[in-house]
PDB file of all heavy atoms in Angstrom:
ATOM      1  N   ARG A  14       0.841  -1.195   0.000  1.00 97.00           N
ATOM      2  CA  ARG A  14       0.000   0.000   0.000  1.00 97.00           C
ATOM      3  C   ARG A  14       0.876   1.245   0.000  1.00 97.00           C
ATOM      4  O   ARG A  14       1.992   1.233   0.531  1.00 97.00           O
ATOM      5  CB  ARG A  14      -0.928   0.039   1.221  1.00 97.00           C
ATOM      6  CG  ARG A  14      -2.005  -1.027   1.231  1.00 97.00           C
ATOM      7  CD  ARG A  14      -2.856  -0.892   2.476  1.00 97.00           C
ATOM      8  NE  ARG A  14      -2.028  -0.999   3.682  1.00 97.00           N
ATOM      9  CZ  ARG A  14      -2.317  -0.420   4.846  1.00 97.00           C
ATOM     10  NH1 ARG A  14      -3.405   0.337   4.954  1.00 97.00           N
ATOM     11  NH2 ARG A  14      -1.537  -0.577   5.890  1.00 97.00           N
ATOM     12  N   PHE A  15       0.351   2.301  -0.605  1.00 98.00           N
ATOM     13  CA  PHE A  15       1.117   3.537  -0.737  1.00 98.00           C
ATOM     14  C   PHE A  15       0.264   4.727  -0.305  1.00 98.00           C
ATOM     15  O   PHE A  15      -0.965   4.698  -0.409  1.00 98.00           O
ATOM     16  CB  PHE A  15       1.565   3.758  -2.185  1.00 98.00           C
ATOM     17  CG  PHE A  15       2.267   2.593  -2.805  1.00 98.00           C
ATOM     18  CD1 PHE A  15       1.553   1.608  -3.492  1.00 98.00           C
ATOM     19  CD2 PHE A  15       3.641   2.460  -2.716  1.00 98.00           C
ATOM     20  CE1 PHE A  15       2.185   0.537  -4.068  1.00 98.00           C
ATOM     21  CE2 PHE A  15       4.297   1.380  -3.292  1.00 98.00           C
ATOM     22  CZ  PHE A  15       3.564   0.412  -3.967  1.00 98.00           C
ATOM     23  N   VAL A  16       0.942   5.777   0.145  1.00 97.00           N
ATOM     24  CA  VAL A  16       0.274   7.047   0.417  1.00 97.00           C
ATOM     25  C   VAL A  16       0.842   8.079  -0.545  1.00 97.00           C
ATOM     26  O   VAL A  16       2.071   8.210  -0.674  1.00 97.00           O
ATOM     27  CB  VAL A  16       0.496   7.509   1.869  1.00 97.00           C
ATOM     28  CG1 VAL A  16      -0.190   8.853   2.098  1.00 97.00           C
ATOM     29  CG2 VAL A  16      -0.042   6.479   2.843  1.00 97.00           C
ATOM     30  N   ILE A  17      -0.035   8.793  -1.242  1.00 98.00           N
ATOM     31  CA  ILE A  17       0.367   9.839  -2.173  1.00 98.00           C
ATOM     32  C   ILE A  17      -0.045  11.175  -1.563  1.00 98.00           C
ATOM     33  O   ILE A  17      -1.231  11.402  -1.296  1.00 98.00           O
ATOM     34  CB  ILE A  17      -0.289   9.665  -3.561  1.00 98.00           C
ATOM     35  CG1 ILE A  17       0.063   8.296  -4.135  1.00 98.00           C
ATOM     36  CG2 ILE A  17       0.165  10.768  -4.511  1.00 98.00           C
ATOM     37  CD1 ILE A  17      -0.952   7.218  -3.798  1.00 98.00           C
ATOM     38  N   LYS A  18       0.932  12.068  -1.341  1.00 98.00           N
ATOM     39  CA  LYS A  18       0.679  13.314  -0.612  1.00 98.00           C
ATOM     40  C   LYS A  18       1.119  14.513  -1.449  1.00 98.00           C
ATOM     41  O   LYS A  18       2.291  14.638  -1.810  1.00 98.00           O
ATOM     42  CB  LYS A  18       1.430  13.300   0.725  1.00 98.00           C
ATOM     43  CG  LYS A  18       1.170  12.036   1.536  1.00 98.00           C
ATOM     44  CD  LYS A  18       1.979  11.977   2.807  1.00 98.00           C
ATOM     45  CE  LYS A  18       1.353  12.807   3.899  1.00 98.00           C
ATOM     46  NZ  LYS A  18       2.061  12.620   5.198  1.00 98.00           N
ATOM     47  N   ALA A  19       0.176  15.374  -1.779  1.00 97.00           N
ATOM     48  CA  ALA A  19       0.494  16.607  -2.512  1.00 97.00           C
ATOM     49  C   ALA A  19       1.429  17.471  -1.667  1.00 97.00           C
ATOM     50  O   ALA A  19       1.232  17.626  -0.462  1.00 97.00           O
ATOM     51  CB  ALA A  19      -0.784  17.368  -2.833  1.00 97.00           C
ATOM     52  N   GLN A  20       2.441  18.045  -2.305  1.00 97.00           N
ATOM     53  CA  GLN A  20       3.420  18.866  -1.598  1.00 97.00           C
ATOM     54  C   GLN A  20       3.177  20.345  -1.898  1.00 97.00           C
ATOM     55  O   GLN A  20       3.534  20.854  -2.961  1.00 97.00           O
ATOM     56  CB  GLN A  20       4.833  18.454  -1.999  1.00 97.00           C
ATOM     57  CG  GLN A  20       5.181  17.019  -1.642  1.00 97.00           C
ATOM     58  CD  GLN A  20       5.162  16.771  -0.152  1.00 97.00           C
ATOM     59  OE1 GLN A  20       6.067  17.174   0.572  1.00 97.00           O
ATOM     60  NE2 GLN A  20       4.120  16.099   0.331  1.00 97.00           N
ATOM     61  N   ILE A  21       2.536  21.013  -0.943  1.00 96.00           N
ATOM     62  CA  ILE A  21       2.322  22.454  -1.019  1.00 96.00           C
ATOM     63  C   ILE A  21       2.581  23.042   0.360  1.00 96.00           C
ATOM     64  O   ILE A  21       2.569  22.321   1.358  1.00 96.00           O
ATOM     65  CB  ILE A  21       0.890  22.821  -1.478  1.00 96.00           C
ATOM     66  CG1 ILE A  21      -0.154  22.249  -0.502  1.00 96.00           C
ATOM     67  CG2 ILE A  21       0.629  22.337  -2.902  1.00 96.00           C
ATOM     68  CD1 ILE A  21      -1.566  22.728  -0.761  1.00 96.00           C
ATOM     69  N   HIS A  22       2.810  24.349   0.412  1.00 94.00           N
ATOM     70  CA  HIS A  22       3.028  25.018   1.689  1.00 94.00           C
ATOM     71  C   HIS A  22       1.690  25.423   2.303  1.00 94.00           C
ATOM     72  O   HIS A  22       1.347  26.593   2.405  1.00 94.00           O
ATOM     73  CB  HIS A  22       3.910  26.251   1.504  1.00 94.00           C
ATOM     74  CG  HIS A  22       5.342  25.927   1.222  1.00 94.00           C
ATOM     75  ND1 HIS A  22       6.295  26.895   1.012  1.00 94.00           N
ATOM     76  CD2 HIS A  22       5.998  24.741   1.127  1.00 94.00           C
ATOM     77  CE1 HIS A  22       7.471  26.315   0.784  1.00 94.00           C
ATOM     78  NE2 HIS A  22       7.301  25.008   0.848  1.00 94.00           N
ATOM     79  N   ALA A  23       0.918  24.437   2.707  1.00 91.00           N
ATOM     80  CA  ALA A  23      -0.374  24.699   3.346  1.00 91.00           C
ATOM     81  C   ALA A  23      -0.839  23.431   4.025  1.00 91.00           C
ATOM     82  O   ALA A  23      -0.562  22.312   3.556  1.00 91.00           O
ATOM     83  CB  ALA A  23      -1.415  25.173   2.333  1.00 91.00           C
ATOM     84  N   GLY A  24      -1.543  23.601   5.136  1.00 88.00           N
ATOM     85  CA  GLY A  24      -2.112  22.464   5.833  1.00 88.00           C
ATOM     86  C   GLY A  24      -3.510  22.156   5.330  1.00 88.00           C
ATOM     87  O   GLY A  24      -4.029  22.796   4.418  1.00 88.00           O
ATOM     88  N   GLY A  25      -4.122  21.148   5.929  1.00 88.00           N
ATOM     89  CA  GLY A  25      -5.469  20.761   5.546  1.00 88.00           C
ATOM     90  C   GLY A  25      -5.540  19.943   4.280  1.00 88.00           C
ATOM     91  O   GLY A  25      -6.613  19.818   3.673  1.00 88.00           O
ATOM     92  N   ARG A  26      -4.412  19.346   3.878  1.00 91.00           N
ATOM     93  CA  ARG A  26      -4.403  18.592   2.616  1.00 91.00           C
ATOM     94  C   ARG A  26      -5.289  17.361   2.669  1.00 91.00           C
ATOM     95  O   ARG A  26      -5.943  17.008   1.690  1.00 91.00           O
ATOM     96  CB  ARG A  26      -2.970  18.185   2.268  1.00 91.00           C
ATOM     97  CG  ARG A  26      -2.033  19.326   1.966  1.00 91.00           C
ATOM     98  CD  ARG A  26      -0.596  18.818   1.848  1.00 91.00           C
ATOM     99  NE  ARG A  26      -0.157  18.204   3.107  1.00 91.00           N
ATOM    100  CZ  ARG A  26       0.937  17.455   3.231  1.00 91.00           C
ATOM    101  NH1 ARG A  26       1.689  17.208   2.168  1.00 91.00           N
ATOM    102  NH2 ARG A  26       1.279  16.954   4.398  1.00 91.00           N
ATOM    103  N   GLY A  27      -5.289  16.688   3.831  1.00 89.00           N
ATOM    104  CA  GLY A  27      -6.048  15.448   3.932  1.00 89.00           C
ATOM    105  C   GLY A  27      -7.525  15.640   3.689  1.00 89.00           C
ATOM    106  O   GLY A  27      -8.160  14.859   2.969  1.00 89.00           O
ATOM    107  N   LYS A  28      -8.085  16.704   4.266  1.00 88.00           N
ATOM    108  CA  LYS A  28      -9.519  16.966   4.096  1.00 88.00           C
ATOM    109  C   LYS A  28      -9.853  17.481   2.705  1.00 88.00           C
ATOM    110  O   LYS A  28     -11.024  17.472   2.303  1.00 88.00           O
ATOM    111  CB  LYS A  28      -9.983  17.977   5.139  1.00 88.00           C
ATOM    112  CG  LYS A  28      -9.999  17.448   6.566  1.00 88.00           C
ATOM    113  CD  LYS A  28     -10.565  18.484   7.517  1.00 88.00           C
ATOM    114  CE  LYS A  28     -10.681  17.941   8.931  1.00 88.00           C
ATOM    115  NZ  LYS A  28     -11.258  18.936   9.863  1.00 88.00           N
ATOM    116  N   ALA A  29      -8.830  17.954   1.970  1.00 92.00           N
ATOM    117  CA  ALA A  29      -9.070  18.554   0.654  1.00 92.00           C
ATOM    118  C   ALA A  29      -8.753  17.612  -0.501  1.00 92.00           C
ATOM    119  O   ALA A  29      -8.779  18.026  -1.662  1.00 92.00           O
ATOM    120  CB  ALA A  29      -8.238  19.834   0.520  1.00 92.00           C
ATOM    121  N   GLY A  30      -8.454  16.357  -0.204  1.00 93.00           N
ATOM    122  CA  GLY A  30      -8.145  15.405  -1.269  1.00 93.00           C
ATOM    123  C   GLY A  30      -6.697  15.397  -1.684  1.00 93.00           C
ATOM    124  O   GLY A  30      -6.351  14.814  -2.724  1.00 93.00           O
ATOM    125  N   GLY A  31      -5.833  16.017  -0.873  1.00 95.00           N
ATOM    126  CA  GLY A  31      -4.415  16.057  -1.210  1.00 95.00           C
ATOM    127  C   GLY A  31      -3.602  14.913  -0.645  1.00 95.00           C
ATOM    128  O   GLY A  31      -2.379  14.876  -0.806  1.00 95.00           O
ATOM    129  N   VAL A  32      -4.266  13.981   0.017  1.00 96.00           N
ATOM    130  CA  VAL A  32      -3.618  12.772   0.533  1.00 96.00           C
ATOM    131  C   VAL A  32      -4.486  11.586   0.146  1.00 96.00           C
ATOM    132  O   VAL A  32      -5.666  11.522   0.509  1.00 96.00           O
ATOM    133  CB  VAL A  32      -3.446  12.827   2.069  1.00 96.00           C
ATOM    134  CG1 VAL A  32      -2.801  11.530   2.567  1.00 96.00           C
ATOM    135  CG2 VAL A  32      -2.613  14.029   2.481  1.00 96.00           C
ATOM    136  N   LYS A  33      -3.913  10.651  -0.616  1.00 97.00           N
ATOM    137  CA  LYS A  33      -4.685   9.509  -1.104  1.00 97.00           C
ATOM    138  C   LYS A  33      -3.955   8.200  -0.813  1.00 97.00           C
ATOM    139  O   LYS A  33      -2.718   8.152  -0.789  1.00 97.00           O
ATOM    140  CB  LYS A  33      -4.936   9.636  -2.609  1.00 97.00           C
ATOM    141  CG  LYS A  33      -5.837  10.818  -2.992  1.00 97.00           C
ATOM    142  CD  LYS A  33      -6.122  10.838  -4.474  1.00 97.00           C
ATOM    143  CE  LYS A  33      -7.016  12.022  -4.848  1.00 97.00           C
ATOM    144  NZ  LYS A  33      -8.366  11.885  -4.265  1.00 97.00           N
ATOM    145  N   LEU A  34      -4.733   7.160  -0.617  1.00 97.00           N
ATOM    146  CA  LEU A  34      -4.196   5.821  -0.383  1.00 97.00           C
ATOM    147  C   LEU A  34      -4.316   5.004  -1.663  1.00 97.00           C
ATOM    148  O   LEU A  34      -5.334   5.065  -2.346  1.00 97.00           O
ATOM    149  CB  LEU A  34      -4.977   5.140   0.743  1.00 97.00           C
ATOM    150  CG  LEU A  34      -4.493   3.758   1.187  1.00 97.00           C
ATOM    151  CD1 LEU A  34      -3.108   3.855   1.818  1.00 97.00           C
ATOM    152  CD2 LEU A  34      -5.496   3.138   2.166  1.00 97.00           C
ATOM    153  N   ALA A  35      -3.261   4.261  -1.986  1.00 97.00           N
ATOM    154  CA  ALA A  35      -3.267   3.429  -3.191  1.00 97.00           C
ATOM    155  C   ALA A  35      -2.795   2.019  -2.839  1.00 97.00           C
ATOM    156  O   ALA A  35      -1.918   1.846  -1.986  1.00 97.00           O
ATOM    157  CB  ALA A  35      -2.364   4.031  -4.265  1.00 97.00           C
ATOM    158  N   HIS A  36      -3.384   1.030  -3.499  1.00 96.00           N
ATOM    159  CA  HIS A  36      -3.028  -0.363  -3.234  1.00 96.00           C
ATOM    160  C   HIS A  36      -2.165  -0.962  -4.331  1.00 96.00           C
ATOM    161  O   HIS A  36      -1.585  -2.040  -4.145  1.00 96.00           O
ATOM    162  CB  HIS A  36      -4.293  -1.212  -3.061  1.00 96.00           C
ATOM    163  CG  HIS A  36      -5.107  -0.840  -1.865  1.00 96.00           C
ATOM    164  ND1 HIS A  36      -6.005   0.208  -1.869  1.00 96.00           N
ATOM    165  CD2 HIS A  36      -5.143  -1.370  -0.603  1.00 96.00           C
ATOM    166  CE1 HIS A  36      -6.574   0.309  -0.677  1.00 96.00           C
ATOM    167  NE2 HIS A  36      -6.066  -0.626   0.110  1.00 96.00           N
ATOM    168  N   THR A  37      -2.088  -0.298  -5.468  1.00 97.00           N
ATOM    169  CA  THR A  37      -1.285  -0.791  -6.580  1.00 97.00           C
ATOM    170  C   THR A  37      -0.513   0.358  -7.207  1.00 97.00           C
ATOM    171  O   THR A  37      -0.824   1.538  -6.977  1.00 97.00           O
ATOM    172  CB  THR A  37      -2.179  -1.431  -7.664  1.00 97.00           C
ATOM    173  OG1 THR A  37      -2.993  -0.401  -8.259  1.00 97.00           O
ATOM    174  CG2 THR A  37      -3.064  -2.528  -7.075  1.00 97.00           C
ATOM    175  N   VAL A  38       0.456  -0.001  -8.019  1.00 97.00           N
ATOM    176  CA  VAL A  38       1.236   1.007  -8.730  1.00 97.00           C
ATOM    177  C   VAL A  38       0.351   1.793  -9.685  1.00 97.00           C
ATOM    178  O   VAL A  38       0.515   3.008  -9.854  1.00 97.00           O
ATOM    179  CB  VAL A  38       2.408   0.340  -9.489  1.00 97.00           C
ATOM    180  CG1 VAL A  38       3.115   1.358 -10.379  1.00 97.00           C
ATOM    181  CG2 VAL A  38       3.400  -0.273  -8.506  1.00 97.00           C
ATOM    182  N   GLU A  39      -0.618   1.130 -10.289  1.00 97.00           N
ATOM    183  CA  GLU A  39      -1.526   1.824 -11.200  1.00 97.00           C
ATOM    184  C   GLU A  39      -2.392   2.838 -10.461  1.00 97.00           C
ATOM    185  O   GLU A  39      -2.702   3.912 -10.991  1.00 97.00           O
ATOM    186  CB  GLU A  39      -2.395   0.822 -11.957  1.00 97.00           C
ATOM    187  CG  GLU A  39      -1.657   0.068 -13.052  1.00 97.00           C
ATOM    188  CD  GLU A  39      -0.946   1.015 -14.014  1.00 97.00           C
ATOM    189  OE1 GLU A  39      -1.606   1.960 -14.516  1.00 97.00           O
ATOM    190  OE2 GLU A  39       0.259   0.831 -14.245  1.00 97.00           O
ATOM    191  N   GLU A  40      -2.776   2.518  -9.234  1.00 97.00           N
ATOM    192  CA  GLU A  40      -3.526   3.483  -8.435  1.00 97.00           C
ATOM    193  C   GLU A  40      -2.644   4.671  -8.055  1.00 97.00           C
ATOM    194  O   GLU A  40      -3.120   5.802  -7.961  1.00 97.00           O
ATOM    195  CB  GLU A  40      -4.093   2.805  -7.184  1.00 97.00           C
ATOM    196  CG  GLU A  40      -5.234   1.852  -7.473  1.00 97.00           C
ATOM    197  CD  GLU A  40      -5.820   1.242  -6.214  1.00 97.00           C
ATOM    198  OE1 GLU A  40      -5.411   1.650  -5.098  1.00 97.00           O
ATOM    199  OE2 GLU A  40      -6.688   0.356  -6.330  1.00 97.00           O
ATOM    200  N   VAL A  41      -1.350   4.414  -7.833  1.00 97.00           N
ATOM    201  CA  VAL A  41      -0.401   5.504  -7.597  1.00 97.00           C
ATOM    202  C   VAL A  41      -0.338   6.409  -8.814  1.00 97.00           C
ATOM    203  O   VAL A  41      -0.351   7.640  -8.702  1.00 97.00           O
ATOM    204  CB  VAL A  41       1.003   4.947  -7.271  1.00 97.00           C
ATOM    205  CG1 VAL A  41       2.040   6.073  -7.252  1.00 97.00           C
ATOM    206  CG2 VAL A  41       0.998   4.210  -5.942  1.00 97.00           C
ATOM    207  N   ARG A  42      -0.283   5.798  -9.985  1.00 97.00           N
ATOM    208  CA  ARG A  42      -0.248   6.560 -11.226  1.00 97.00           C
ATOM    209  C   ARG A  42      -1.484   7.458 -11.347  1.00 97.00           C
ATOM    210  O   ARG A  42      -1.381   8.653 -11.639  1.00 97.00           O
ATOM    211  CB  ARG A  42      -0.171   5.612 -12.429  1.00 97.00           C
ATOM    212  CG  ARG A  42      -0.125   6.330 -13.784  1.00 97.00           C
ATOM    213  CD  ARG A  42      -0.362   5.349 -14.936  1.00 97.00           C
ATOM    214  NE  ARG A  42       0.668   4.328 -14.982  1.00 97.00           N
ATOM    215  CZ  ARG A  42       1.833   4.476 -15.605  1.00 97.00           C
ATOM    216  NH1 ARG A  42       2.114   5.623 -16.229  1.00 97.00           N
ATOM    217  NH2 ARG A  42       2.718   3.493 -15.606  1.00 97.00           N
ATOM    218  N   ALA A  43      -2.653   6.882 -11.114  1.00 97.00           N
ATOM    219  CA  ALA A  43      -3.903   7.633 -11.268  1.00 97.00           C
ATOM    220  C   ALA A  43      -3.999   8.763 -10.245  1.00 97.00           C
ATOM    221  O   ALA A  43      -4.390   9.892 -10.577  1.00 97.00           O
ATOM    222  CB  ALA A  43      -5.091   6.682 -11.132  1.00 97.00           C
TER     223      ALA A  43
END
């Protein structure tokens, strides 16, 4: 499993869709 986290200078990313969980490499890509 992977966590994809948008890198910006601001908090609140998780609630805004900037942190996603992926189970495959293809999900990481998407």
Side-chain angles (χ1 to χ4, degrees):
R14 292 180 302 152
F15 308 90
V16 179
I17 302 92
K18 309 176 80 173
Q20 298 297 285
I21 60 172
H22 288 179
R26 295 171 299 167
K28 291 184 176 181
V32 179
K33 294 184 180 294
L34 184 66
H36 295 82
T37 67
V38 173
E39 286 307 309
E40 288 183 6
V41 171
R42 180 193 298 274

